[in-house]
């Protein structure tokens, strides 16, 4: 979808390209401003820095923010009809790919964290520690980087020496880097597998929470909140295609929303409230 969108950007008239670029950039800056505030809030208090769910949310938000930035940059270059060299486009597309692969995997970890909290509450504190969460985040980044490494190795098999120039003749898109048939096949297989696996794990976590809800000893309020959160994760998995998942999750969280409202209030009101 992004490849088609960027490719069509060069076919529009100058007025159309300027209008669309202005609108998309305005919305992009609006989302980036909210994301930047949320990133600041998540690092402003120790309770957020030392809680696993907020550590995961920070990484989800960071990946989505950077992905949105690079995607908008690539669109503006395409709308301006600026062509890049294959190496520069390769770096941009790989960075965008790396960041886009983060969202579903982080959502999986967040779902498993909620599953442990409800289904194994006595072991939650020993399993979901800051250290283990950090290792989980590093594992997600490493897995996404490994995927990019494989894509890069496939890319360099293309005989670039046969080209008259390394300057591209088309807009820089992720799809433009599918220079060999195996690259596109691998990308499709990885995308389908990752989203299918993420969906199955989130559904498994949801079913586990629902089963726990039938237990007489279960905390009904906590179970209901966890069940709704997992349903939101499933919706977010689809919304991750639009870079909106972390924004919705952050605004939905009550503790984080209170702090966000606090920082958004005018200074005199904050002073009176304190």
């Amino acid at each position: 979808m992004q490849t088609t969108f960027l490719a069509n950007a060069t076919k529009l008239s100058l007025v159309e390209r300027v209008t669309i670029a202005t609108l998309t950039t305005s919305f992009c800056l609006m989302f980036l401003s909210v994301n930047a505030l949320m990133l600041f809030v998540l690092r402003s208090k120790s309770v957020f820095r030392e809680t696993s769910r907020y550590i995961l949310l920070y990484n989800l938000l960071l990946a989505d923010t950077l992905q949105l930035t690079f995607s908008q940059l690539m669109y503006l270059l395409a709308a301006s009809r600026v062509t890049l060299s294959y190496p520069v486009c390769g770096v941009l597309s790989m960075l965008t790919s790396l960041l886009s692969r983060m969202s579903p995997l982080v959502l999986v970890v967040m779902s498993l964290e909620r599953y442990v909290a409800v289904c194994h509450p006595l072991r939650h504190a020993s399993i979901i520690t800051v250290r283990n969460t950090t290792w989980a985040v590093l594992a997600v980044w490493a897995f996404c980087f490994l995927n990019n490494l494989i894509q890069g190795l496939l890319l360099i098999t293309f005989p670039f020496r046969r080209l008259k120039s390394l300057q591209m003749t088309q807009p820089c898109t992720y799809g433009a880097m599918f220079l060999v048939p195996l690259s596109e096949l691998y990308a499709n297989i990885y995308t389908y597998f990752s989203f299918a696996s993420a969906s199955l794990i989130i559904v498994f976590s949801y079913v586990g929470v629902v089963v726990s809800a039938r237990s007489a000893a279960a905390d009904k309020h906590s179970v209901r909140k966890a069940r709704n959160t997992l349903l939101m994760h499933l919706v977010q998995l689809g919304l991750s295609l639009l870079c909106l998942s972390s924004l919705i999750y952050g605004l939905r969280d009550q503790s984080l929303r209170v702090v966000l409202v606090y920082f958004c209030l005018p200074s005199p009101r904050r002073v009176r409230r304190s």
Side-chain angles (χ1 to χ4, degrees):
M1 181 175 64
Q2 183 196 48
T3 300
T4 304
F5 185 62
L6 293 180
N8 290 336
T10 60
K11 301 177 182 179
L12 302 175
S13 66
L14 176 61
V15 175
E16 291 174 327
R17 285 185 284 123
V18 171
T19 302
I20 295 176
T22 302
L23 290 175
T24 57
T25 302
S26 299
F27 281 109
C28 180
L29 291 176
M30 180 182 67
F31 283 118
L32 289 177
S33 299
V34 177
N35 286 2
L37 177 61
M38 291 176 63
L39 287 171
F40 170 76
V41 169
L42 286 170
R43 304 303 297 173
S44 64
K45 295 183 176 295
S46 60
V47 65
F48 295 142
R49 296 193 302 267
E50 298 171 2
T51 304
S52 295
R53 62 183 300 190
Y54 294 116
I55 294 174
L56 294 171
L57 176 59
Y58 180 86
N59 281 270
L60 179 66
L61 183 63
L62 179 63
D64 284 353
T65 301
L66 293 177
Q67 181 196 2
L68 181 60
T69 302
F70 283 115
S71 297
Q72 184 63 19
L73 174 61
M74 293 174 68
Y75 171 76
L76 291 177
L77 290 174
S80 303
R81 296 180 178 176
V82 175
T83 57
L84 305 176
S85 64
Y86 280 103
V88 175
C89 180
V91 172
L92 282 178
S93 62
M94 290 299 176
L95 283 173
T96 304
S97 173
L98 171 68
L99 297 168
S100 65
R101 307 303 185 192
M102 280 288 298
S103 295
L105 297 182
V106 174
L107 285 173
V108 166
V109 179
M110 295 173 75
S111 298
L112 292 176
E113 185 271 332
R114 288 293 85 196
Y115 171 80
V116 173
V118 173
C119 299
H120 305 281
L122 298 180
R123 301 180 59 190
H124 181 266
S126 60
I127 296 176
I128 310 299
T129 62
V130 173
R131 180 179 180 181
N132 290 342
T133 303
T134 302
W135 279 111
V137 170
L138 291 176
V140 168
W141 280 98
F143 185 79
C144 295
F145 178 79
L146 177 62
N147 170 61
N148 269 30
L149 180 61
I150 295 175
Q151 290 179 317
L153 293 176
L154 292 174
L155 180 61
I156 63 177
T157 61
F158 182 79
F160 287 100
R161 61 182 179 277
R162 298 181 184 177
L163 299 177
K164 295 181 180 179
S165 173
L166 290 178
Q167 189 70 20
M168 300 180 64
T169 58
Q170 57 182 324
C172 175
T173 65
Y174 178 63
M177 291 294 98
F178 295 153
L179 300 178
V180 293
L182 191 57
S183 294
E184 185 174 6
L185 176 62
Y186 171 79
N188 290 335
I189 292 176
Y190 178 89
T191 299
Y192 298 147
F193 174 78
S194 61
F195 274 86
S197 301
S199 300
L200 287 175
I201 294 175
I202 294 176
V203 170
F204 165 79
S205 302
Y206 177 80
V207 172
V209 169
V210 171
V211 172
S212 296
R214 298 179 180 178
S215 172
D219 184 344
K220 303 301 182 181
H221 178 67
S222 298
V223 169
R224 185 172 60 254
K225 288 182 61 178
R227 184 181 59 194
N228 293 338
T229 298
L230 290 172
L231 278 177
M232 179 59 68
H233 285 176
L234 197 59
V235 174
Q236 286 174 297
L237 186 61
L239 291 177
S240 64
L241 298 173
L242 303 175
C243 299
L244 298 176
S245 59
S246 55
L247 176 62
I248 294 176
Y249 187 96
L251 295 178
R252 180 176 175 270
D253 185 274
Q254 183 177 1
S255 299
L256 186 57
R257 187 169 64 247
V258 170
V259 182
L260 284 171
V261 171
Y262 172 81
F263 278 103
C264 289
L265 289 175
S267 181
R269 294 180 63 183
R270 292 212 310 264
V271 172
R272 289 198 298 268
R273 175 172 292 188
S274 62

